[in-house]
Amino acid sequence: VELVESGGGLVQTGGSLRLSCAASLRTFSRYTMGWFRQARGKEREFVAAISLSGTVTYRADSVKGRFTISRDNAKNLVYLQMNSLKPEDTAIYYCAADWGPVVTMEYDYWGQGTQVTVSS
């Protein structure tokens, strides 16, 4: 199983980025997908999650109104659209997959991460 994130980079405050995660999961549509992030010196934190069909999403309070998670089950892709970025969003962003419909903080598979840096 492999999760590969892409789309990270350097952006100015107020800018946007879209992260993508490609999953080599044969039954991708049976996995709840999530995004987490870890800033330097801090613990990893939950950012967003999306249900199997993509109809239900969850987001951390810190990103509500700015970040949107979506998925394309036909292409085994999950996205994180990030708008109005702030310096405090700077972190390594990780894609994660968890078997089944129940959204938890425990995930089965993790990607290697992609760096997002927001300059002030």
Side-chain angles (χ1 to χ4, degrees), residues 4 34 37 39 42 57 60-61 73 78 80 83 94 104 106 109 112 118:
V4 180
R37 67 187 182 186
K42 296 186 177 180
T57 62
D61 289 342
N73 285 347
V78 62
L80 185 68
N83 298 328
Y94 297 92
T104 72
E106 300 294 327
Y109 304 106
Q112 293 299 307
V118 185

Side-chain angles (χ1 to χ4, degrees), residues 5 18 25 28 37 42 45 51 55 59-60 70 76 83 89 94-95 100-102 105 107 111:
E5 303 94 337
R18 188 175 83 154
L25 296 164
F28 178 75
R37 67 187 182 186
K42 296 186 177 180
E45 65 174 357
S51 64
T55 55
R59 287 168 290 180
S70 61
N76 282 25
N83 298 328
D89 295 319
Y94 297 92
C95 173
V102 179
M105 293 297 106
Y107 281 71

